[in-house]
């Protein structure tokens, strides 16, 4: 089964926290919020997800990579302009 996580947007209502970090990468319980979503997707039987990113998209792939450490395959779709 495949899924998608929408991880774009600037998170302007969370400034100054999102000045250098996209909202989905803000830490909750010590890890980025998106990591919680990825782990839950894997637990639910999702085998592949696409992270749809835009704002500061370059921060996602170094952290999540191929998804192997989360037990899921991760692909990336980057929106170049808003």
């Amino acid at each position: 089964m495949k899924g998608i996580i929408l991880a774009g947007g600037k998170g302007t209502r969370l400034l100054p926290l999102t000045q250098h970090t996209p909202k989905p990468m803000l830490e909750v319980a010590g890890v980025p919020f998106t990591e919680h979503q990825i782990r839950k997707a894997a637990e639910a039987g999702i085998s592949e997800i696409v992270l749809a990113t835009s704002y500061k998209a370059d921060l996602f792939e170094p952290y999540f990579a191929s998804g192997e450490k989360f037990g899921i395959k991760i692909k990336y779709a980057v929106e170049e302009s808003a």
Side-chain angles (χ1 to χ4, degrees), residues 13-53:
R13 291 178 289 198
L14 291 173
L15 283 170
L17 297 174
T18 55
Q19 186 171 2
H20 302 290
T21 306
K23 179 173 56 178
M25 291 297 288
L26 291 176
E27 287 192 5
V28 175
V31 297
F33 180 74
T34 302
E35 181 174 333
H36 295 286
Q37 294 175 303
I38 290 169
R39 290 188 184 279
K40 286 293 186 183
E43 288 174 19
I46 304 293
S47 59
E48 181 179 322
I49 60 166
V50 173
L51 281 181
T53 64

